[in-house]
Amino acid sequence: MSNASLPLLWATCVERLKDRTNNRSFWEAIEQTRPLTIDGDSIIIGLDPDKSHYMGVINQGSFQHTIHTAVREVFGRDLKFRLIDGNSIQEWEIVKDREAKAAAARAASARASALPVTIAR
């Protein structure tokens, strides 16, 4: 699948999501999203930073199953839904870089805490 087909496929998802939910706030929020890319097993959806107040609505647990189902039906495979505060591939790359650095810091901290402690006498 090419990134060129992504906007049309995501628009189909948005319409299905609106048909399957009875929540005007969710409809308004999901209409503000923009597909950015498919990265591995995740579909990356952007939300313009000036519309970030919609993130909480979209990320509500009650909508996650519906989103996952619609994405699977339209894209023909299981994809994790990732919503980012940003509307470009460059902003997605920044998010990935930040997450990779945080994971590396956590791993380093875990290794450091696993070192044996010697008490000087």
Side-chain angles (χ1 to χ4, degrees):
M1 167 187 341
S2 73
N3 275 351
S5 61
L6 203 51
L8 180 59
L9 292 170
W10 181 246
T12 301
C13 275
V14 168
E15 289 308 310
R16 285 188 188 196
L17 290 166
K18 288 167 50 181
D19 286 343
R20 294 175 183 180
T21 57
N22 188 18
N23 185 302
R24 185 178 179 99
S25 295
F26 179 76
W27 298 344
E28 291 172 359
I30 204 72
E31 286 176 341
Q32 301 303 313
T33 60
R34 176 175 176 242
L36 300 179
T37 191
I38 293 178
D39 191 339
D41 65 350
S42 297
I43 182 167
I44 313 306
I45 304 299
L47 188 61
D48 199 278
D50 68 340
K51 307 235 189 284
S52 62
H53 57 281
Y54 286 124
M55 288 190 89
V57 174
I58 296 169
N59 284 327
Q60 284 181 25
S62 59
F63 298 124
Q64 294 309 299
H65 177 73
T66 306
I67 292 170
H68 181 259
T69 300
V71 167
R72 185 179 62 236
E73 290 171 359
V74 172
F75 287 86
R77 64 182 175 136
D78 278 328
L79 291 169
K80 295 175 188 165
F81 175 80
R82 290 287 314 266
L83 180 64
I84 69 162
D85 191 15
N87 56 13
S88 70
I89 295 292
Q90 294 77 16
E91 288 168 302
W92 167 235
E93 293 298 328
I94 291 167
V95 168
K96 283 195 321 184
D97 184 55
R98 186 174 56 232
E99 289 175 353
K101 287 177 181 174
R106 283 191 304 273
S109 177
R111 283 191 304 274
S113 66
L115 292 175
V117 177
T118 54
I119 300 173
R121 296 181 193 204

